[in-house]
Amino acid sequence: MPFQEDHYKAVIQVGSQIHANIGKPTNKFSTQNLNKLKQVLTNLGHYDEYYSIMDLRTHAFDWCMGVDNVLGYNSAEWTHRNAIENIHEDFRTLFLDLGLCAYLVFQDGKKLPQGPLSGRYIINVPVRKQNGKYLWLKQMSMPLDVDENGRMVKQFNVFTVLCRFEDVF
């Protein structure tokens, strides 16, 4: 099944409507702490993980590290759209729909644990490497910054290699 542009656009449109009410970040996770986190991850240099920070208001990555090591793509050029396009076609729609549901849950700030990295959702998904082969990745996403109403503004993502896709199917 080829990339379904209409479904991707529909999910982005719904997501944009949900996120339209997001206020400015409260910056509870300070720039200093963010820089420390980035430095720790850089020093660890995991060969089987990559990381990103995404701003939900723009669906853009503020920061990404390790995509080149794990998937073979340039981390500096990795975008939300690239990430979605490289999900195995049999799982892409499910991934988008589950992600949208998770955002709905995370946007009810009154019911969430408060503070950065305080809640998370996890999904396993096959992602295509630059060489055309697929890896099963575990995506763990956590709120990194919230607005004054507790709604998630930015999320921190950890993608960990579980196994090669062929090893499962």
Side-chain angles (χ1 to χ4, degrees):
M1 178 186 307
F3 183 75
Q4 295 178 332
E5 183 72 33
D6 291 341
H7 189 77
Y8 176 76
K9 285 181 179 178
V11 169
I12 294 299
Q13 182 179 8
V14 171
S16 295
Q17 290 170 353
I18 293 167
H19 302 135
N21 296 324
I22 296 175
K24 292 182 180 180
T26 58
N27 297 315
K28 287 186 178 180
F29 199 74
S30 70
T31 302
Q32 182 180 3
N33 286 338
L34 182 59
N35 289 337
K36 285 180 185 177
L37 174 64
K38 290 177 181 178
Q39 189 59 52
V40 166
L41 295 174
T42 300
N43 291 344
L44 289 173
H46 287 143
Y47 67 92
D48 65 344
E49 288 185 338
Y50 68 93
Y51 314 94
S52 67
I53 296 172
M54 187 170 86
D55 188 318
L56 299 177
R57 298 166 298 172
T58 62
H59 296 99
F61 293 127
D62 289 351
W63 174 78
C64 193
M65 184 190 94
V67 173
D68 40 0
N69 293 334
V70 175
L71 299 176
Y73 300 105
N74 184 332
S75 290
E77 297 172 357
W78 191 244
T79 66
H80 181 257
R81 185 180 174 91
N82 296 136
I84 301 302
E85 286 178 341
N86 284 292
I87 293 173
H88 191 281
E89 61 190 25
D90 292 344
F91 296 86
R92 192 177 299 130
T93 299
L94 179 63
F95 177 83
L96 286 168
D97 292 345
L98 287 174
L100 193 57
C101 290
Y103 291 143
L104 286 169
V105 169
F106 273 98
Q107 293 314 93
D108 189 356
K110 295 175 187 151
K111 295 182 181 176
L112 288 176
Q114 293 299 304
L117 308 177
S118 58
R120 64 183 177 187
Y121 73 91
I122 299 171
I123 185 170
N124 296 341
V125 63
V127 177
R128 183 177 51 243
K129 295 173 58 171
Q130 190 175 32
N131 66 11
K133 296 188 179 203
Y134 285 85
L135 294 173
W136 272 106
L137 300 178
K138 175 183 285 190
Q139 176 188 349
M140 182 171 56
S141 299
M142 299 156 276
L144 184 64
D145 205 350
V146 296
D147 69 7
E148 61 280 353
N149 294 311
R151 291 184 300 249
M152 184 169 54
V153 178
K154 294 186 180 188
Q155 71 180 29
F156 175 67
N157 302 296
V158 178
F159 297 86
T160 305
V161 175
L162 299 174
C163 65
R164 295 179 311 193
F165 185 69
E166 319 58 78
D167 293 344
V168 177
F169 289 96

